[in-house]
């Protein structure tokens, strides 16, 4: 953990930044998110993520 402490780690692809901002606003307002699909960087590749209730 020391190697990443205080560093900005890019895990959201550029084309999904606005989607992430909207999702965070929704989460703070409603205290939950029921369904979404997105992508995140992991180990140098893009991982598809979905949450369905």
């Amino acid at each position: 953990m020391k190697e990443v402490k205080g560093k900005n780690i890019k895990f959201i692809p550029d084309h999904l930044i606005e989607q992430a901002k909207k999702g965070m606003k929704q989460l703070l307002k409603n205290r939950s998110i029921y369904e979404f699909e997105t992508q995140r960087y992991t180990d140098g590749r893009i991982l598809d993520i979905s949450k369905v209730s």
Side-chain angles (χ1 to χ4, degrees):
M1 291 297 271
K2 289 180 184 180
E3 61 271 10
V4 296
K5 187 175 181 178
K7 293 184 179 177
N8 197 5
I9 301 169
K10 183 177 174 143
F11 62 96
I12 302 172
D14 290 340
H15 68 281
L16 295 172
I17 297 287
E18 287 304 313
Q19 178 199 50
K21 288 178 183 180
K22 288 177 185 178
M24 288 301 295
K25 286 179 184 178
Q26 180 184 359
L27 179 61
L28 291 171
K29 181 180 177 184
N30 300 331
R31 304 258 185 209
S32 65
I33 296 176
Y34 296 102
E35 295 183 13
F36 72 91
E37 293 182 3
T38 191
Q39 296 176 319
R40 295 293 184 260
Y41 287 123
T42 182
D43 299 326
R45 60 188 173 91
I46 292 182
L47 178 68
D48 291 327
I49 300 172
S50 65
K51 186 212 183 274
V52 180
S53 309

